[in-house]
Amino acid sequence: MRMAEHVSGSLAPSADARVDSCDVRFVDVFKVLGKRWNGMIIVALMQRPARFGELSRMISGITDGILADRLRELMAAGLVERRLADGPATAVLYQLTAVGEDLRGAFQELRDWADRNDLGGHCAP
């Protein structure tokens, strides 16, 4: 029996609950969000829509090839979209979709959890 069936879709404690590959929602979420760089791209786009070059500068250490691959994956997952920017010069902007924006609360909860538990790296001054 799937965990979601056993605890009615919640993550409440249960003595006989189990998590396995049948819990498709978690598997699918972590396939996208668990991939290196995807979270940072989403966080950057939570700040504002950005051009490819701007994103590359906003995310320290990412290569252009990896950024292009991850943006394609995030677009395929329905979290990011491309749009043409208004103005005289044609420019492509990347922005979060409504589904991507819906992650804002979850990302804030993760950040708060990391702060409460002193997890994660600390940025050098």
Side-chain angles (χ1 to χ4, degrees):
M1 184 173 274
R2 289 185 2 197
M3 182 174 120
E5 293 171 348
H6 211 61
V7 293
S8 304
S10 78
L11 297 178
S14 173
D16 56 347
R18 62 181 201 162
V19 177
D20 58 29
S21 61
C22 291
D23 197 344
V24 175
R25 288 173 294 202
F26 279 115
V27 171
D28 290 346
V29 164
F30 284 107
K31 277 182 186 174
V32 175
L33 297 182
K35 201 166 213 180
R36 186 169 184 199
W37 301 111
N38 284 357
M40 297 306 296
I41 294 168
I42 292 168
V43 168
L45 291 174
M46 284 180 178
Q47 307 306 307
R48 62 181 170 81
R51 295 179 182 171
F52 185 91
E54 293 171 323
L55 277 174
S56 184
R57 288 187 296 277
M58 290 168 78
I59 305 168
S60 179
I62 195 168
T63 66
D64 287 350
I66 295 293
L67 178 57
D69 288 346
R70 296 301 186 267
L71 284 169
R72 277 191 292 275
E73 291 169 5
L74 292 169
M75 286 187 290
L79 302 175
V80 172
E81 64 188 3
R82 289 171 46 140
R83 72 171 173 88
L84 293 179
D86 297 329
T90 303
V92 173
L93 287 177
Y94 293 91
Q95 65 186 27
L96 294 176
T97 63
V99 175
E101 278 291 338
D102 199 33
L103 286 169
R104 191 177 293 274
F107 272 51
Q108 186 60 54
E109 287 292 325
L110 285 171
R111 179 175 279 161
D112 293 346
W113 172 79
D115 287 345
R116 281 192 309 273
N117 293 287
D118 196 30
L119 296 175
H122 299 280
C123 297

